[in-house]
Amino acid sequence: MIRFEGVTKRYGDSSGGSGGPGSVAVDDLTLEAPTGRITVLVGPSGCGKTTTLRMVNRMITPTSGTISIDGRDTSTLDVAELRRGIGYVIQHAGLFPHRTVLDNVTTVPRLLGTGKAAARSRAMELIERVGLDPAMASRYPAQLSGGQQQRVGVARALAADPPVMLMDEPFSAVDPVVREQLQNEFLRLQSELGKTILFVTHDIDEAVKLGDQVAVLRVGGVLAQLDSPARLLADPVDDFVAGFVGRDRGYRALGFAAAPELTLADEPTVRLGARADDVRAVGTPWVLCVDDAGEPLGWVRAAAVETEVTRTLLHRGGTVASTSGSLRALLDAALSSPSGRGVVADDDGRLVGTIRAAEVIPAIEARRDQAASAERPTERLAERLAERPAERPAERPAERPTERPTERPAEGATTR
């Protein structure tokens, strides 16, 4: 666990003089990053995200307050020892350009005294684990794409098997498609390794996707809200947090909602090469095309097929929801489909059926009603206690504290 207790970072007087109040980058920050979880720091420029991160490995020294890792005050530890026990990933990976991928990954283990053969064996395992071709081990950073370099950076940070990892906007310098791939790979790795991770980003969508908890910071390094992604989206504490999180937070919150078992429609399909008569025989304006394995390829407009179905005729704008997905994925599949029928596939990518938005909405409303009813008993008890007439102290029954259940939103959903 990483714990910040009243941590402040103040730089010298911004006017250049001495003895003045100076500028505050982080102001009286107190929070905990739980063991084995991802804590994301997010906020606008100037909110102290990176400063907070760098104070953990003492690249920046706090002006006041205490930072501890698993109960050990970092200010009492040897700096080299502290840093070698923390994985650190930054933008553009920060690789050594004159060293091969393999040698970059072995850097910290070799510094810690690991034998060359053992360090190289461990590095090769990690290169594969982060999704790189082992053949890339002999290449130099300049021979890799941006996304590949970031994967190497993550592998290097993991090489010494550190319990703590600091990640400073590691995926911000790559294009959106590669960024999503890196995020998914990162979540897969974390599910296997369970590191304690402090992650900095300016992107609220990335924070919500990756974080077990999200800390929103105001300019000046003041903590505005620390909560789970679902609670952050559902209940921002003030206008600043609500504005930063965004106006579509209700829709994004559905990504944390487990969908109930919904009835899917059997969707008629055609294959590539199907004749125009066969497509029109389905009897719908849009017909779903699948491959030989039953994986959805896209929709085809029946009226546009003159001879046979070809790839150029496929409409690929609709998303595909998974049976292990969420309410948001189901709704998005239905809304983005040109036919209005959302495609749902199993974990192997094979078509299971389709669903319409009108069939998803009742499930959303039912979830809202269930959440509201879960709070009402507590509210009614509070009202009864408030209305109860005053009693003599000797006759007053002992009051039990009424606790509101802690909500941990489901991360997946099963849809049939």
Side-chain angles (χ1 to χ4, degrees):
M1 177 179 68
I2 306 172
R3 177 165 177 79
F4 296 79
E5 296 184 77
V7 174
T8 295
K9 177 58 185 177
R10 186 189 303 275
Y11 291 97
D13 184 3
S14 57
S15 66
S18 59
S23 60
V24 177
V26 177
D27 190 9
D28 194 24
L29 178 64
T30 296
L31 66 83
E32 289 184 359
T35 300
R37 300 296 187 92
I38 303 172
T39 298
V40 179
L41 305 177
V42 67
S45 298
C47 71
K49 304 184 296 292
T50 295
T51 299
T52 299
L53 193 78
R54 292 183 177 180
M55 286 193 288
V56 175
N57 61 4
R58 289 172 58 188
M59 292 180 70
I60 295 177
T61 303
T63 304
S64 60
T66 303
I67 301 174
S68 59
I69 298 178
D70 293 334
R72 303 171 68 195
D73 186 343
T74 58
S75 67
T76 66
L77 304 177
D78 177 74
V79 173
E81 177 187 356
L82 171 68
R83 291 176 183 170
R84 288 173 184 172
I86 297 176
Y88 190 40
V89 187
I90 60 175
Q91 292 184 55
H92 305 290
L95 303 176
F96 299 116
H98 62 288
R99 307 189 73 184
T100 64
V101 166
L102 184 63
D103 290 337
N104 264 283
V105 178
T106 61
T107 300
V108 177
R110 296 289 287 140
L111 287 173
L112 294 175
T114 303
K116 185 175 182 179
R120 283 176 167 257
S121 176
R122 167 70 173 163
M124 288 302 298
E125 291 177 7
L126 287 170
I127 287 170
E128 292 188 63
R129 176 166 267 183
V130 299
L132 288 173
D133 187 332
M136 293 182 178
S138 60
R139 296 184 185 178
Y140 289 88
Q143 297 173 301
L144 305 180
S145 68
Q148 290 168 341
Q149 290 182 32
Q150 287 301 144
R151 290 173 188 263
V152 176
V154 172
R156 184 177 63 179
L158 291 169
D161 196 22
V164 171
M165 289 185 65
L166 307 178
M167 307 187 76
D168 190 1
E169 300 200 50
F171 310 139
S172 64
V174 295
D175 65 75
V177 174
V178 173
R179 185 175 192 175
E180 183 177 10
Q181 294 172 350
L182 290 171
Q183 291 169 346
N184 294 338
E185 193 72 20
F186 171 66
L187 288 174
R188 182 189 64 79
L189 284 171
Q190 174 64 358
S191 70
E192 297 174 357
L193 303 176
K195 301 294 183 181
T196 303
I197 297 174
L198 199 58
F199 190 108
V200 164
T201 181
H202 64 275
D203 184 347
I204 187 62
D205 288 326
E206 183 169 67
V208 166
K209 178 176 181 178
L210 301 182
D212 291 298
Q213 65 174 13
V214 179
V216 181
L217 302 177
R218 306 178 194 274
V219 173
V222 177
L223 181 62
Q225 184 169 354
L226 175 66
D227 242 321
S228 69
R231 292 286 299 175
L232 184 69
L233 292 170
D235 190 16
V237 295
D238 57 25
D239 290 342
F240 167 76
V241 177
F244 190 83
V245 169
R247 295 184 178 180
D248 60 342
R249 55 185 178 272
Y251 174 66
R252 283 183 285 162
L254 295 176
F256 300 94
E261 295 185 1
L262 301 176
T263 301
L264 301 179
D266 292 328
E267 186 69 30
T269 61
V270 296
R271 306 286 178 87
L272 285 173
R275 295 178 303 174
D277 290 344
D278 295 332
V279 175
R280 294 188 178 92
V282 174
T284 56
W286 288 93
V287 181
L288 185 63
C289 181
V290 299
D291 64 12
D292 292 339
E295 296 184 17
L297 297 176
W299 293 91
V300 60
R301 190 162 59 88
V305 182
E306 296 180 356
T307 55
E308 65 180 33
V309 178
T310 62
R311 288 189 178 273
T312 57
L313 295 176
L314 297 181
H315 184 289
R316 298 179 176 85
T319 60
V320 177
S322 170
T323 52
S324 59
S326 64
L327 272 173
R328 175 179 173 174
L330 286 176
L331 185 59
D332 185 73
L335 294 176
S336 63
S337 170
S339 70
R341 304 188 296 277
V343 179
V344 183
D346 61 22
D347 290 338
D348 293 323
R350 292 187 294 267
L351 176 67
V352 177
T354 57
I355 193 167
R356 292 181 177 274
E359 297 164 330
V360 181
I361 297 299
I364 297 173
E365 294 294 337
R367 174 179 174 271
R368 182 189 297 274
D369 293 342
Q370 184 179 15
S373 63
E375 296 181 358
R376 285 174 192 144
T378 300
E379 295 169 354
R380 288 197 295 268
L381 176 58
E383 291 171 0
R384 290 199 302 270
L385 290 174
E387 294 171 357
R388 179 180 294 170
E391 300 172 340
R392 294 192 302 272
E395 298 175 355
R396 183 183 298 274
E399 293 183 4
R400 286 185 175 179
T402 302
E403 298 180 353
R404 179 177 178 176
T406 301
E407 298 180 1
R408 180 64 183 170
E411 297 179 354
T414 302
T415 307
R416 295 184 180 87

